[in-house]
Amino acid sequence: STSSQSYTEQTVLPSHNKYMHSYNKPAMPPRSRYVAMDCEMVTTLSSPSTCARVVLVDWKGRTLLDAYVKPSEPVIDYKTFISGITAHNLEKAETLDVVRE
């Protein structure tokens, strides 16, 4: 290599095979296995954040589960302005253990 060579000639990369990763990439699950979860929270007597609604969606945004959850303690703040949850929504709601099934 001489100083008269152009920058491009000096930085020509060797065959890409020399830079191939030598480890096996982990296999990723198919998109059909991905799920996103969102929980809306309320405040109970002993906890500032207790689950009151669970929503699960798949990769394409289709709803898999949308369930209100009845907290095990009395709710002191529904945080309606954030969660959209009211006392009426939780009247017939199931407990978290039932929703988990």
Side-chain angles (χ1 to χ4, degrees):
S1 169
T2 65
S3 60
S4 64
Q5 287 179 313
S6 73
Y7 177 78
T8 304
E9 290 172 336
Q10 290 177 0
T11 58
V12 171
L13 295 175
S15 168
H16 76 285
N17 289 336
K18 292 183 181 179
Y19 296 100
M20 295 281 295
H21 295 289
S22 60
Y23 63 91
N24 292 328
K25 292 182 181 178
M28 298 300 291
R31 290 180 179 174
S32 62
R33 304 271 324 256
Y34 285 84
V35 174
M37 179 174 70
D38 181 39
C39 296
E40 296 300 333
M41 311 302 266
V42 296
T43 300
T44 62
L45 288 174
S46 67
S47 176
S49 291
T50 300
C51 181
R53 186 178 186 184
V54 178
V55 180
L56 300 176
V57 296
D58 68 8
W59 181 268
K60 293 184 178 183
R62 294 177 293 212
T63 302
L64 303 173
L65 173 72
D66 186 350
Y68 288 101
V69 178
K70 187 174 192 79
S72 58
E73 297 182 336
V75 176
I76 59 174
D77 184 359
Y78 288 91
K79 302 179 184 180
T80 304
F81 69 99
I82 298 170
S83 69
I85 295 174
T86 64
H88 176 74
N89 297 130
L90 301 183
E91 286 175 1
K92 296 181 181 179
E94 300 286 352
T95 64
L96 186 58
D97 289 335
V98 172
V99 172
R100 281 183 181 157
E101 294 176 3

